[in-house]
Amino acid sequence: MDLAVILLLPLLGSLLNGAFAVKASVTKRPLPELLIAIVGVLFPFLSFLIAVKASLPFLLNGQLAPTQEHLFDWVVSGPFSVSASLLLDRLSVVMVLVVTGVGTLIHFYSRGYMHGDAGFARYYCYLNLFLFSMLVLVLADNLLFLFVGWEGVGLCSYLLIGFYFTDADKAAAGKKAFVVNRIGDFGFLIGLFLILGQLGMSVSAGENILSFNYLMQHVEQLAPVAGWVTFCLFLGATGKSAQIPLYVWLPDAMAGPTPVSALIHAATMVTAGVYMMVRLFFLFNYDLAPYTMQLIATVGAATALFAATIGLVQNDIKKVLAYSTVSQLGYMVLGVGVGAYGAAIFHLMTHAFFKACLFLGAGAVIHALHHEQDIQKMGGLKSKLPVVFVTFTIASLAIAGIPPLAGFFSKDEILFQTYVTGHRYLYTVAFIAAGFTAFYMFRLVALTFLGKSSLEHHGHHHAAHVQKVPFSMQSVLVVLALLSVVGGWVGIPDALGHGLGLHNYWQAWLPFGVGETSLEGHNVHSLEIELAFISALWGALFVGLAIYIYLKKPAWPQNCAQKLKWVYALLREKYFIDEIYNALIIQPIKSVSQYVLAKFCDQGIIDTLFIKGLAFFTQVGGGLVNRFQNGSVNAYVLYFFVALIGLLTWALV
Amino acid sequence: MTLNHYLVLSFILFILGFAVLSLRRNLLIMLMGVEIMLNAVNIALVAFSRLHQGVEGQMAAFFVIVLAAAEAGVGLAIVIALFRKRASVQTHMFMDLRDRVTRS
């Protein structure tokens, strides 16, 4: 029953906190924060402990067979049946530990960050519910049950991003996240129906047709539609995992409280798309769906570069991290696209550590500066917030790909696999994006923590007063920074680690196939060492460059912006993608709705023709028939007779 | 004297009876019209009976006669009741049940 308990604990916490929130709104007296926080943090923590307990056989005893738990039969209709059952295998072990572990840390951090917020209980209610949905997503053993979690995280993201719903902009951001994700979900559903349509013919009773096991065994039956299925499911993944073309919700999603960004945009929801594709790795491969895989790899690499370029010029601390997230997700999707599923999940895990750390660090900065988010107005916070500075820098080094931190190994694994599977162009794109990543991260570090404080220049009335960061926040930052350092050590490539006596646990852990390599064994090894060396240098170069420019030559960026006005404007305005979507999609839909559907169809055809027309015809008809009822018996006799003649004629002829 | 003569006579009588029923406004006259129609049918029935050398037609004719008598009795009773109400046997005095839709 372990798996069910893992799920139900956060749900219970959510219900309890929901009850607290309702009670507080009825009695107009909020309950003590400590009680709410204990409920909100304890349940996820217990869930984490049980997840560890359930994972131990896999981690220690090398269990290979997945643990399955059948909860109940959910849909049974003729031969078609879907059960609500849970599955724990090596892939879900990673996901569950990351989700509950990082999730618990973020819950704990929120205690300090949300202190004094009026919606404290409501916040924890949503956060726990989110965790529950995400756990359903990663533990589900069939596609439909996975979709329940998929939709659940969509709903909770809407609730959490629009948490400060009194502000119209923030409420709109929540709506945007929800609606954009719905587009992706539509793709997911179509993919699901295609699978059902293909397999539904030959299903025998009692088979759980959508379970991953069944799909895996019957994958050759899906071959005719595999291209379309993977394409539709990938569309779903672009929504959740914020890839081109559906990434636009993520930058706006920074409207929610900062810990929410850490939870949703680092550790959980945005990884759902990648997880789903890896979970269906038998579908997403080059034998079944070569074109889709090419598309996935291309979209991943394009997103990685595209988002990184936007990140170079953003001035809002959370926006930079948001675009960085989109970019890093691009790497994961690229990994899936070239068939390096293990590497994609590896990067997913390390990214969860350092990106959560970065978001929470940013949250600490924002918290300390009384909700100032503009990095141009910061600076010199190194001495004021030492713990935040150190942890933030460690996480930045990790994301920039500096060895021996976590990000280096995972990102490099993806780059290497991209290279050896023959995607040279995509490798180049991803490689350039890695440089940009290092650059904008250290631009952020330099502007925020190093140099002189710009707070006074901007007449900031809180200038002298930087708020203390509470223990609950600092401790979490430290834990995550540690994870950002050591997280990558489970997957050090043999080529690098062999000399040190380190083993590549990760590759043994998730032995998914990668694409064809055209190289011999020891060639691969030497190539791997070369590529790792180059990319480490490349990252370090850009880290140094960013720090040098923003500390020693602060005028240089402005000059650049002056000289390359239009490039700068293009990046500042995020390639005008929002405006383009608005002009090409939203406005036409609005116009069509307003003029064609509302004015013409609804008011024109339905209202006038059908409704008013029907009333008019009834009245006129009634008026005509009314003449017949003149009260004269003679006339009635005549009608009777005519009708009789008519009936007789009809009957005889 | 073929069957056709009888049928034509029956038809003419029936039409006359119906004309009386539908054109005259006097209830008593209308009842007479009904009687004429019934008699017209009787002629046809008996003519067919003769043609087929059977008695069923005559049986039916007798039934019609009985029915006509009963109907006359009931009809006249109703007419008398109506006459007591309105002191008239003209149909246009009895249009109470006419319904007029009020146009909105």
Side-chain angles (χ1 to χ4, degrees):
Chain A
M1 279 316 291
D2 280 353
L3 301 186
V5 175
I6 295 175
L7 282 188
L8 292 173
L9 281 170
L11 182 64
L12 193 64
S14 170
L15 291 173
L16 275 174
N17 272 322
F20 291 159
V22 170
K23 184 169 179 291
S25 73
V26 170
T27 58
K28 300 273 180 286
R29 272 207 317 276
L31 281 94
E33 274 186 14
L34 191 63
L35 171 72
I36 295 165
I38 284 174
V39 169
V41 178
L42 189 68
F43 283 95
F45 181 62
L46 288 173
S47 179
F48 171 66
L49 291 182
I50 293 165
V52 170
K53 176 174 166 267
S55 313
L56 281 181
F58 293 92
L59 296 167
L60 300 182
N61 312 339
Q63 179 185 333
L64 281 174
T67 315
Q68 277 183 291
E69 270 182 29
H70 178 82
L71 300 181
F72 55 90
D73 282 325
W74 179 23
V75 181
V76 180
S77 156
F80 173 73
S81 69
V82 176
S83 62
S85 24
L86 306 176
L87 168 104
L88 190 73
D89 62 359
R90 290 184 151 192
L91 176 57
S92 2
V93 162
V94 177
M95 292 302 291
V96 167
L97 290 180
V98 167
V99 168
T100 52
V102 178
T104 304
L105 289 173
I106 293 165
H107 279 68
F108 185 62
Y109 172 100
S110 301
R111 159 82 183 97
Y113 188 85
M114 297 301 283
H115 174 65
D117 194 290
F120 198 78
R122 186 166 60 93
Y123 173 84
Y124 267 112
C125 166
Y126 293 165
L127 216 58
N128 287 338
L129 191 64
F130 183 90
L131 202 63
F132 163 73
S133 305
M134 191 65 204
L135 287 168
V136 170
L137 199 157
V138 298
L139 286 171
D141 90 325
N142 62 64
L143 261 181
L144 200 63
F145 201 39
L146 184 144
F147 191 62
V148 173
W150 186 272
E151 290 297 313
V153 290
L155 166 71
C156 296
S157 69
Y158 162 74
L159 293 171
L160 284 167
I161 293 165
F163 183 74
Y164 300 118
F165 58 87
T166 43
D167 180 337
D169 286 352
K170 296 185 172 182
K175 268 192 293 203
K176 185 169 179 180
F178 191 73
V179 170
V180 172
N181 265 303
R182 296 297 315 162
I183 299 170
D185 297 343
F186 176 74
F188 188 106
L189 275 175
I190 300 287
L192 203 74
F193 294 148
L194 278 172
I195 291 175
L196 270 180
Q198 193 68 16
L199 293 180
M201 314 296 165
S202 58
V203 64
S204 50
E207 287 278 20
N208 205 334
I209 183 173
L210 287 174
S211 73
F212 301 124
N213 237 333
Y214 186 92
L215 291 175
M216 197 148 150
Q217 283 156 8
H218 296 74
V219 73
E220 68 284 350
Q221 279 184 36
L222 285 170
V225 291
W228 285 109
V229 168
T230 46
F231 178 76
C232 291
L233 291 175
F234 175 59
L235 185 65
T238 57
K240 281 276 176 294
S241 287
Q243 297 299 294
I244 293 171
L246 297 179
Y247 74 94
V248 287
W249 63 272
L250 203 150
D252 286 33
M254 297 302 124
T258 312
V260 168
S261 304
L263 184 64
I264 297 183
H265 310 125
T268 58
M269 176 173 145
V270 291
T271 62
V274 177
Y275 165 77
M276 183 266 293
M277 291 195 283
V278 175
R279 173 56 85 196
L280 295 171
F281 72 96
F282 45 86
L283 265 179
F284 284 84
N285 69 36
Y286 275 90
D287 300 339
L288 282 177
Y291 299 111
T292 316
M293 291 300 279
Q294 285 288 359
L295 178 77
I296 293 173
T298 312
V299 166
T303 308
L305 183 62
F306 177 84
T309 53
I310 299 178
L312 291 174
V313 297
Q314 295 303 313
N315 280 332
D316 180 321
I317 185 166
K318 281 169 81 177
K319 279 273 159 75
V320 178
L321 293 176
Y323 282 105
S324 147
T325 304
V326 175
S327 175
Q328 295 300 308
L329 286 161
Y331 281 106
M332 295 173 212
V333 171
L334 170 65
V336 172
V338 299
Y341 312 102
I345 293 289
F346 188 26
H347 194 53
L348 188 158
M349 178 181 83
T350 57
H351 175 254
F353 298 150
F354 54 71
K355 188 49 67 68
C357 184
L358 287 169
F359 266 120
L360 296 180
V365 170
I366 293 166
H367 182 82
L369 296 183
H370 308 274
H371 294 273
E372 174 59 63
Q373 298 191 8
D374 190 342
I375 53 177
Q376 298 291 357
K377 297 181 186 169
M378 299 177 187
L381 292 172
K382 183 174 61 171
S383 53
K384 297 195 173 97
L385 303 168
V387 175
V388 178
F389 166 66
V390 172
T391 53
F392 197 92
T393 309
I394 289 172
S396 298
L397 286 169
I399 196 175
I402 305 296
L405 288 91
F408 168 74
F409 295 111
S410 58
K411 188 151 68 176
D412 236 50
E413 189 62 26
I414 291 176
L415 285 172
F416 172 68
Q417 301 284 16
T418 308
Y419 190 83
V420 297
T421 48
H423 300 85
R424 301 289 149 90
Y425 290 115
L426 297 181
Y427 172 82
T428 314
V429 169
F431 187 74
I432 294 168
F436 282 162
T437 306
F439 189 84
Y440 66 67
M441 280 319 298
F442 278 85
R443 168 178 175 263
L444 188 64
V445 171
L447 285 174
T448 312
F449 294 101
L450 308 175
K452 291 197 296 294
S453 174
S454 326
L455 290 173
E456 291 86 351
H457 298 312
H458 292 275
H460 213 286
H461 56 286
H462 297 299
H465 177 62
V466 175
Q467 209 175 322
K468 234 174 80 59
V469 180
F471 166 78
S472 62
M473 287 156 76
Q474 293 205 2
S475 54
V476 169
L477 288 175
V478 172
V479 173
L480 283 170
L482 276 176
L483 285 172
S484 308
V485 176
V486 302
W489 296 354
V490 291
I492 297 175
D494 288 339
L496 300 173
H498 214 66
L500 306 170
L502 287 166
H503 182 59
N504 189 350
Y505 299 102
W506 191 267
Q507 211 157 11
W509 180 258
L510 285 178
F512 291 131
V514 292
E516 296 295 311
T517 66
S518 52
L519 298 158
E520 294 296 314
H522 76 276
N523 276 352
V524 172
H525 273 201
S526 60
L527 178 71
E528 188 158 15
I529 292 172
E530 280 164 29
L531 288 180
F533 193 69
I534 292 171
S535 85
L537 278 181
W538 181 249
L541 170 74
F542 275 97
V543 169
L545 199 63
I547 291 181
Y548 173 74
I549 287 175
Y550 283 94
L551 282 188
K552 298 277 185 267
K553 308 250 184 212
W556 191 79
Q558 271 100 1
N559 292 340
C560 261
Q562 287 295 325
K563 285 208 178 74
L564 298 168
K565 248 195 176 63
W566 64 272
V567 176
Y568 184 72
L570 194 65
L571 295 179
R572 278 289 310 178
E573 298 304 319
K574 302 145 195 160
Y575 292 96
F576 298 98
I577 292 287
D578 274 331
E579 287 77 4
I580 290 170
Y581 281 0
N582 193 26
L584 286 187
I585 297 166
I586 299 169
Q587 286 309 326
I589 289 179
K590 266 190 175 167
S591 310
V592 166
S593 309
Q594 205 169 344
Y595 296 106
V596 179
L597 296 177
K599 282 260 184 330
F600 177 72
C601 289
D602 189 52
Q603 288 167 13
I605 294 180
I606 293 176
D607 284 4
T608 25
L609 199 68
F610 290 179
I611 296 174
K612 292 204 178 86
L614 206 61
F616 177 77
F617 279 119
T618 314
Q619 279 188 333
V620 168
L624 288 174
V625 178
N626 188 8
R627 305 281 167 84
F628 287 97
Q629 198 180 9
N630 53 9
S632 149
V633 182
N634 313 75
Y636 294 169
V637 169
L638 193 62
Y639 307 151
F640 170 75
F641 191 69
V642 169
L644 190 70
I645 297 269
L647 278 172
L648 283 174
T649 314
W650 177 72
L652 294 176
V653 175
Chain B
M1 290 296 253
T2 59
L3 176 72
N4 278 349
H5 291 90
Y6 289 104
L7 288 184
V8 169
L9 171 66
S10 161
F11 180 70
I12 290 170
L13 273 179
F14 191 87
I15 292 296
L16 283 173
F18 179 73
V20 167
L21 180 69
S22 58
L23 298 176
R24 298 296 300 264
R25 300 267 172 89
N26 187 320
L27 280 169
L28 290 167
I29 305 277
M30 283 167 71
L31 278 175
M32 287 180 200
V34 174
E35 296 298 324
I36 289 173
M37 284 158 76
L38 288 164
N39 277 321
V41 174
N42 270 345
I43 288 172
L45 282 169
V46 175
F48 280 114
S49 165
R50 177 88 185 143
L51 177 74
H52 295 300
Q53 295 292 315
V55 318
E56 297 90 343
Q58 300 191 23
M59 291 280 298
F62 275 117
F63 274 109
V64 173
I65 290 168
V66 170
L67 195 133
E71 185 249 6
V74 173
L76 283 169
I78 291 173
V79 171
I80 288 165
L82 289 172
F83 181 76
R84 286 183 181 169
K85 264 267 191 274
R86 296 265 199 279
S88 158
V89 289
Q90 299 295 321
T91 49
H92 60 80
M93 297 300 286
F94 305 105
M95 292 172 117
D96 308 32
L97 289 182
R98 180 180 57 182
D99 187 25
R100 281 270 174 235
V101 174
T102 49
R103 284 290 187 83
S104 55

